[in-house]
Amino acid sequence: MYRIIEARNLAANIYQMIVEAPRVAKKCMPGQFLIVRTGPDSERIALTICDYDREKGTITIVFQTVGASTEVMSKLKTGDSFHDVVGPLGRPSELIDEPADELKKKNILFVAGGVGTAPVYPQVKWLHEQGVAADVIVGAKTKDILILEDEMKAVAGNLYVTTDDGSYGRSGMVTKVIEDLVGEGKKYDVCIAIGPMIMMKFVAKLTKELNIPTIVSMNPIMVDGTGMCGACRIIVGGEVKFACVDGPEFDGHLVDFDGAMKRSQMYKTEEGKKLLELQEGDTHHGGCGNCN
Amino acid sequence: MEVDVLKRIPVREQEPKTRATNFDEVCLGYNAEEAQCEASRCINCKNAQCIKGCPVAINIPGFIEQVKNGDFKKAYEIISQSSALPAVCGRVCPQETQCEGKCIRGIKGDPISIGKLERFVADWASENGIKPVSDAPKKGKKVAVIGSGPAGLTCAGDLARMGYDVTIFEALHEAGGVLVYGIPEFRLPKEKVVKKEIENVKSLGVKIETNVIIGKSVTIDELVSEEGYDAVFIGSGAGLPKFMGIPGETASGVFSANEYLTRSNLMKAYDPASPTPIKIGKKVAVVGGGNVAMDAARTALRLGSEVHIVYRRSEEELPARVEEVHHAKEEGVIFDLLTNPVEILTDENGWVNGIKCIRMELGEPDESGRRRPVEVAGSEFVIDVDTVIMSLGTSPNPLIASTTDGLDVNKRGCIIATEEQGATSKDGVYAGGDAVTGAATVILAMGAGKTAAQGIDEYLQGKA
């Protein structure tokens, strides 16, 4: 079993958990993900690793409730356990292959959207440990769901926070901040954007115009996460790639976001039904005639 | 019960119409009387050909004789000397091309139903709480087995019987490999058969650690240098699903057979109460003609879909076992043979709404010896489906090979291992099963696991 050392509600529907998983903690690198299950019959849920402590043998995950399985997960408390934690999965960020001297010469921009701030954090932290200061834009819909601001501030070169509704920091989408920064004369050699697919799509579109090479982290539907089922396939540069073994990070200028977004809708109906069942409990009656 | 020596005792099955709507086992197996009658047909050949046909060389006439005598316990002991998974093999081995294919009775009449007898003996032992035992003295050496599928379980079981301290590392959350994620409940019950066989392997002293991905969580070199393993067996299985490379394959509603079967079998999505969803199409096309295609087709049928098998050659070339094809037909799977997909059609939301195919005809034999299918020009047509399941085989997962120095693979990416011992290019590392051969059968993987166990024993004896 994988004990939860600390469970915390970060913002409205966003939770952070520090979990004992010594094998994962020992080997994981920024950019990789893991899969958790809450119980013996539960769904496999893929989550990006937000932080790790090799000595304590713990990993940190951050997730947003989006369906029945994450809803169940959000109810777990400090001292509870996950039934399964497996990883690290996927390939680490390409940045970690570059020598620190090379990285120091580069102007690196991270763009984090919503809960995507969590997977951006370990990359910025890793660079900070190598003595590399990266600029970070964090975007959230509104102030209440902004996460990890202090943590990010401690490791980022410059941190730019923006909210869609202007309730905190700058006002507007992350793309506007990129335009503003470039307008102010900032030059970037590489951009790493992680967040909702729609955000990554528009960041990639903009950085293509601005000629900034861009890496995105894809989180498509997955089952096993080890390269066995092929559910996570996406089109990158006209070729079919498996996010779990070839990714999750890809060249943002080559990813077919529209196809990936359509595919990610595949189980929306089923997920919605499961969530209703869970929320309504014994009173659940969908009126569909197909329920048990 | 009357016995005609030329005819097999028929085995009871669920009625096709009934079973097409449930996930219970299709074949109900022999009872003791039926088994004894069937066993009485065996002529106990001196030079038994059936044993030569068995990849793990079970003493077949030996165990059948005990069934005939009614000593089922003894029969079980004879089988378990050679096989760690008799309840599985009795159900999923292609006996018709192995032991039963060589049976002398088969020359004039029906061969002995060796598979059904093996299944009977294994089920009887399980119902009566009989487990395999190991009383070999401990050797004080540790062996790591990667993968808990048929190759890994067999290798681990054999090594434990020899007195080695064996740990199996499994990437998924549950042990069993293809036996739990691939082969459906109605062919191989999970609780009643697979779990019990795994428990039997554990009762020999084998430890199983789930959720460990070798190559990611820990490498083979680390298992040896940091965790003290003296030898390693790789039975990591087949790997990444293949697709055709036709337009529309990433559309919503297109699955690999691996994904479809994993959702239904491992994640139990066939049960509406399961948190893991599966798409139940109204009309489903399964592309391919192997056993996995039949499993996917019969699963979709049970979930309530109309199912078409789309296969580019003719019925004669179907790679699936005759019994599987027969069962699928009985249950109502429609076979669109000599038909090859050229494009998956989608609606404005990216959902499958048809599969465009072309008619094929058979030409000259190709390198596989089968007649090569050739397109009939201008014969394109559309099958109206909302779900497509691609069952075209797999290519090896590069994870282990790419993280293990000195482990050679062939040009297809399969691990190279010697046939006699399962030895790889790396000292102390052995391999077998689909990771070596590419997708094959449960029993061939078991045979390779067995061979490697002997190879590992010789290697470690030599080092002692």
Side-chain angles (χ1 to χ4, degrees):
Chain A
M1 297 294 257
Y2 304 81
R3 208 159 59 90
I4 300 169
I5 305 299
E6 188 193 302
R8 206 146 74 84
N9 187 196
L10 289 186
N13 290 321
I14 304 176
Y15 298 82
Q16 173 176 297
M17 290 176 185
I18 303 174
V19 187
E20 277 180 350
R23 283 202 187 272
V24 186
K26 190 175 171 196
K27 295 299 289 275
C28 65
M29 295 301 279
Q32 290 188 296
F33 65 98
L34 48 70
I35 283 181
V36 299
R37 291 200 327 141
T38 51
D41 298 312
S42 303
E43 198 173 7
R44 292 170 71 88
I45 305 167
L47 297 165
T48 317
I49 299 165
C50 173
D51 205 353
Y52 49 86
D53 187 324
R54 302 217 197 278
E55 274 168 28
K56 289 187 185 144
T58 60
I59 47 91
T60 304
I61 51 173
V62 171
F63 63 93
Q64 190 166 20
T65 53
V66 289
S69 292
T70 42
E71 189 69 36
V72 169
M73 211 165 114
S74 71
K75 303 283 186 279
L76 295 174
K77 301 270 173 284
T78 302
D80 290 346
S81 290
F82 279 96
H83 195 273
D84 300 282
V85 177
V86 60
L89 299 164
R91 297 153 79 127
S93 160
E94 279 176 23
L95 288 177
I96 68 162
D97 292 331
E98 285 190 54
D101 292 346
E102 290 299 312
L103 288 171
K104 278 179 194 160
K105 289 182 205 155
K106 284 190 176 170
N107 291 321
I108 304 171
L109 174 67
F110 284 89
V111 181
V115 76
T117 311
V120 164
Y121 173 69
Q123 302 205 19
V124 180
K125 183 183 168 192
W126 187 87
L127 287 172
H128 175 72
E129 285 164 0
Q130 317 300 311
V132 181
D135 281 2
V136 181
I137 300 170
V138 171
K141 271 204 181 93
T142 181
K143 185 182 181 225
D144 296 344
I145 55 169
L146 181 69
I147 56 166
L148 301 173
E149 190 190 2
D150 294 341
E151 288 86 346
M152 198 68 93
K153 201 174 269 169
V155 292
N158 297 300
L159 176 64
Y160 309 95
V161 176
T162 184
T163 48
D164 294 0
D165 63 0
S167 55
Y168 187 74
R170 298 181 176 220
S171 176
M173 306 281 183
V174 291
T175 40
K176 182 166 174 291
V177 183
I178 301 174
E179 279 174 335
D180 290 349
L181 291 176
V182 171
E184 289 162 23
K186 289 254 189 189
K187 294 213 180 322
Y188 292 107
D189 302 301
V190 61
C191 168
I192 297 103
I194 309 179
M197 271 202 238
I198 188 82
M199 179 207 93
M200 294 192 286
K201 174 186 165 174
F202 283 103
V203 168
K205 191 165 169 254
L206 174 64
T207 56
K208 191 163 189 189
E209 288 162 15
L210 297 170
N211 224 352
I212 307 170
T214 295
I215 296 160
V216 295
S217 179
M218 301 299 284
N219 54 344
I221 293 168
M222 267 184 205
V223 187
D224 68 296
T226 66
M228 191 260 285
C229 83
C232 64
R233 60 196 188 279
I234 52 173
I235 295 177
V236 183
E239 274 180 65
V240 173
K241 297 281 182 191
F242 293 160
C244 71
V245 289
D246 301 320
E249 298 194 347
F250 293 100
D251 182 338
H253 296 159
L254 297 178
V255 169
D256 170 16
F257 286 106
D258 291 338
M261 279 190 280
K262 280 180 183 165
R263 221 179 133 71
S264 70
Q265 298 298 310
M266 202 160 153
Y267 290 101
K268 276 286 173 254
T269 318
E270 286 79 0
E271 281 168 1
K273 277 187 194 160
K274 296 270 181 217
L275 187 58
L276 272 182
E277 266 173 51
L278 188 80
Q279 287 167 343
E280 297 178 358
D282 293 341
T283 64
H284 175 66
H285 175 58
C288 61
N290 292 324
C291 298
N292 300 322
Chain B
M1 187 178 273
E2 290 264 332
V3 178
D4 175 346
V5 292
L6 296 180
K7 290 228 163 71
R8 1 175 95 161
I9 304 290
V11 70
R12 285 165 292 117
E13 290 180 345
Q14 273 199 77
E15 284 299 318
K17 279 217 173 89
T18 315
R19 72 182 192 239
T21 62
N22 68 47
F23 277 84
D24 298 337
E25 197 172 9
V26 169
C27 175
L28 302 173
Y30 284 147
N31 60 28
E33 188 196 359
E34 290 162 342
Q36 281 183 278
C37 289
E38 179 64 16
S40 73
R41 296 176 55 229
C42 176
I43 49 179
N44 205 349
C45 306
K46 272 218 179 73
N47 182 14
Q49 295 301 306
C50 50
I51 302 178
K52 292 178 191 158
C54 175
V56 296
I58 293 173
N59 177 2
I60 293 167
F63 97 77
I64 291 182
E65 182 160 29
Q66 296 309 326
V67 174
K68 193 172 8 178
N69 298 340
D71 191 343
F72 305 138
K73 183 163 185 277
K74 193 112 182 233
Y76 178 73
E77 284 163 10
I78 294 172
I79 295 175
S80 57
Q81 279 165 14
S82 312
S83 172
L85 311 169
V88 171
C89 291
R91 287 172 165 84
V92 303
C93 269
Q95 290 101 4
E96 64 279 6
T97 58
Q98 296 180 349
C99 53
E100 294 176 15
K102 302 227 173 200
C103 177
I104 300 300
R105 266 280 180 237
I107 296 171
K108 278 195 180 151
D110 293 340
I112 308 295
S113 285
I114 300 168
K116 302 290 186 283
L117 289 174
E118 181 186 25
R119 169 189 161 144
F120 166 77
V121 170
D123 287 356
W124 182 91
S126 162
E127 281 154 25
N128 288 277
I130 296 166
K131 287 179 174 294
V133 284
S134 165
D135 43 17
K138 294 273 167 272
K139 288 217 163 70
K141 294 229 157 119
K142 282 169 74 179
V143 183
V145 169
I146 301 166
S148 63
L153 287 172
T154 302
C155 187
D158 278 17
L159 287 166
R161 271 204 193 87
M162 296 173 196
Y164 291 101
D165 179 358
V166 186
T167 302
I168 300 180
F169 295 96
E170 167 57 48
L172 292 173
H173 56 261
E174 200 170 313
V178 73
L179 307 175
V180 293
Y181 77 71
I183 304 176
E185 181 73 20
F186 55 84
R187 274 214 301 137
L188 187 62
K190 307 300 163 224
E191 291 292 326
K192 184 182 143 206
V193 178
V194 180
K195 276 210 175 135
K196 285 229 171 112
E197 299 258 62
I198 292 169
E199 285 307 315
N200 284 348
V201 173
K202 281 190 183 166
S203 72
L204 294 168
V206 172
K207 296 179 278 285
I208 302 181
E209 189 180 343
T210 52
N211 296 327
V212 183
I213 302 197
I214 303 300
K216 291 282 184 194
S217 313
V218 60
T219 63
I220 287 182
D221 290 316
E222 287 163 348
L223 284 177
V224 173
S225 63
E226 293 174 21
E227 301 194 22
Y229 287 95
D230 300 288
V232 178
F233 172 74
I234 306 168
S236 53
L240 292 72
K242 285 185 190 161
F243 289 88
M244 293 185 76
I246 59 174
E249 275 184 313
T250 54
S252 295
V254 183
F255 296 85
S256 73
N258 269 7
E259 180 190 351
Y260 196 79
L261 291 170
T262 300
R263 283 182 184 275
S264 181
N265 301 330
L266 177 71
M267 306 312 295
K268 312 255 184 297
Y270 68 84
D271 177 353
S274 169
T276 303
I278 193 163
K279 269 287 164 198
I280 301 173
K282 286 196 178 68
K283 288 174 89 173
V284 177
V286 178
V287 182
N291 288 318
V292 176
M294 298 305 138
D295 284 345
R298 295 171 70 197
T299 297
L301 192 88
R302 281 162 172 75
L303 289 171
S305 308
E306 176 186 310
V307 184
H308 295 248
I309 287 270
V310 176
Y311 179 59
R312 63 194 181 126
R313 302 181 198 246
S314 73
E315 173 147 3
E316 214 169 290
E317 290 83 20
L318 279 169
R321 290 181 67 193
V322 174
E323 183 181 317
E324 302 306 324
V325 176
H326 173 71
H327 277 153
K329 281 190 173 170
E330 272 187 342
E331 289 164 11
V333 172
I334 300 156
F335 282 72
D336 293 327
L337 302 168
L338 290 167
T339 301
N340 203 28
V342 289
E343 185 183 355
I344 295 164
L345 308 173
T346 54
D347 66 15
E348 66 280 9
N349 295 317
W351 275 95
V352 174
N353 65 1
I355 184 166
K356 192 189 212 181
C357 299
I358 189 162
R359 303 256 184 232
M360 309 293 277
E361 57 190 10
L362 293 179
E364 294 300 309
D366 61 15
E367 62 275 13
S368 74
R370 298 178 298 178
R371 292 176 66 194
R372 185 192 298 275
V374 189
E375 290 184 354
V376 178
S379 67
E380 287 90 346
F381 67 105
V382 173
I383 308 176
D384 162 35
V385 295
D386 57 10
T387 304
V388 176
I389 302 172
M390 290 291 180
S391 180
L392 308 159
T394 55
S395 55
N397 190 326
L399 208 52
I400 289 178
S402 66
T403 54
T404 311
D405 280 338
L407 185 69
D408 291 347
V409 295
N410 66 20
K411 60 176 190 287
R412 289 182 300 143
C414 297
I415 296 168
I416 298 170
T418 62
E419 220 165 280
E420 314 76 52
Q421 291 210 306
T424 68
S425 56
K426 193 175 171 77
D427 188 47
V429 178
Y430 292 72
D434 286 2
V436 169
T437 56
T441 61
V442 167
I443 189 70
L444 283 175
M446 288 179 61
K450 208 169 183 58
T451 304
Q454 280 154 9
I456 289 170
D457 182 42
E458 278 173 39
Y459 168 79
L460 292 176
Q461 300 277 16
K463 277 183 90 178

